[in-house]
């Protein structure tokens, strides 16, 4: 009986991992991030103390 529960649980975890990996790969192809970052041009950040 324990073997059946373990088998179902491992199959469920394997399915969840596959779905998560596929969503990550699809979103990486769909979303294009800018190569230079978010800041336009050269900006300097200073902290006043």
């Amino acid at each position: 009986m324990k073997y059946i529960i373990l088998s179902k649980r491992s199959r469920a975890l394997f399915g969840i991992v596959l779905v998560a990996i596929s969503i990550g790969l699809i979103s990486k192809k769909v979303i294009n991030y800018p190569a230079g970052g978010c800041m336009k041009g050269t900006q300097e950040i200073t902290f006043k103390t």
Side-chain angles (χ1 to χ4, degrees):
M1 187 68 180
K2 288 183 180 180
Y3 181 74
I4 295 172
I5 293 173
L6 183 63
S7 177
K8 285 182 181 180
R9 183 180 294 169
S10 63
R11 262 189 288 171
L13 286 174
F14 184 70
I16 290 171
V17 168
L18 281 178
V19 168
I21 290 173
S22 62
I23 288 174
L25 290 175
I26 290 170
S27 67
K28 190 172 183 178
K29 289 182 181 179
V30 171
I31 300 172
N32 294 326
Y33 295 104
C38 295
M39 293 189 289
K40 294 181 181 178
T42 306
Q43 294 181 353
E44 184 177 330
I45 299 174
T46 57
F47 297 102
K48 293 184 178 181
T49 56

